[in-house]
Amino acid sequence: MSKDDFLYPRGRYYGHVKPENLVFNANLQEFAQKISYICNLETGGKIPPDEAYKQIKSLWKQLKNSKKELKIGENPSQNHDSGES
């Protein structure tokens, strides 16, 4: 197991398989991991609350931009093939 696999584990994706969904899922998992680290650093007194807030806000903006660039949720009717129920 590599160091990156250990530090940033990825869960399997079970949603509707489309390239943009897979990319967004990877971004979302990375966001969650980083948020967890920031929370732990703040809880442990390694960073002040205002710094934790700034970092989380920055990560949220990155995730939000990712969603916008990938056009996730813009056309909900097109997220599923017409043959699915």
Side-chain angles (χ1 to χ4, degrees):
M1 173 181 275
S2 76
K3 181 177 84 172
D4 284 341
D5 289 340
F6 178 76
L7 292 174
Y8 307 108
R10 301 270 181 200
R12 185 173 171 181
Y13 180 68
Y14 291 96
H16 185 70
V17 179
K18 291 172 36 177
E20 60 270 24
N21 290 353
L22 294 172
V23 170
F24 183 72
N25 180 264
N27 293 343
L28 185 60
Q29 288 189 48
E30 182 178 349
F31 170 81
Q33 277 292 333
K34 288 181 178 181
I35 295 299
S36 178
Y37 288 137
I38 293 167
C39 291
N40 290 330
L41 288 169
E42 193 278 332
T43 299
K46 302 295 183 186
I47 61 173
D50 60 326
E51 178 61 27
Y53 176 82
K54 288 176 190 174
Q55 289 183 24
I56 290 170
K57 187 175 181 180
S58 174
L59 290 171
W60 176 252
K61 286 181 180 180
Q62 291 173 23
L63 184 65
K64 198 171 171 182
N65 287 336
S66 167
K67 178 184 178 282
K68 185 177 180 180
E69 289 173 9
L70 294 167
K71 297 179 171 52
I72 301 294
E74 286 190 7
N75 294 319
S77 63
Q78 293 181 352
N79 283 346
H80 300 285
D81 295 335
S82 58
E84 291 184 6
S85 34

